[in-house]
Amino acid sequence: MEENKVTIKVNDNGSLRVTGQVELVDAEGNPFEHKESFSLCRCGASGNKPFCDGTHKSINFVSAPRAKKD
Ligand code: FES
């Protein structure tokens, strides 16, 4: 794996876990403060968008996509 490669993991029934050197900006280009690894809301119910706050568990969000294998 490349040292500076960004990885986004689609967690089953939950968030998008982002790891690596990446800048997260709003629609106006202003940066959000975040750590090197952070989770983005995928369910739409977070009270702290764009970040995941764990609400996906209480709404029983269900989504577990898998990438196609070669
Ligand atoms: S994915 Fe966690 S609150 Fe939406």
Side-chain angles (χ1 to χ4, degrees):
M1 182 180 291
E2 295 175 39
E3 198 167 302
N4 294 324
K5 185 176 178 181
V6 174
T7 300
I8 303 173
K9 181 180 180 187
V10 182
N11 287 322
D12 285 353
N13 309 318
S15 66
L16 299 171
R17 184 74 179 166
V18 181
T19 304
Q21 295 285 329
V22 64
E23 184 176 36
L24 177 65
V25 298
D26 67 16
E28 297 175 347
N30 301 307
F32 288 95
E33 285 188 25
H34 61 79
K35 297 179 180 174
E36 186 165 321
S37 292
F38 57 96
S39 296
L40 293 173
C41 178
R42 188 163 71 93
C43 74
S46 174
N48 187 32
K49 292 184 188 79
F51 301 101
C52 169
D53 68 357
T55 301
H56 60 268
K57 295 174 191 158
S58 61
I59 66 165
N60 296 316
F61 178 64
V62 176
S63 175
R66 291 291 182 270
K68 290 184 180 176
K69 295 180 181 174
D70 294 329

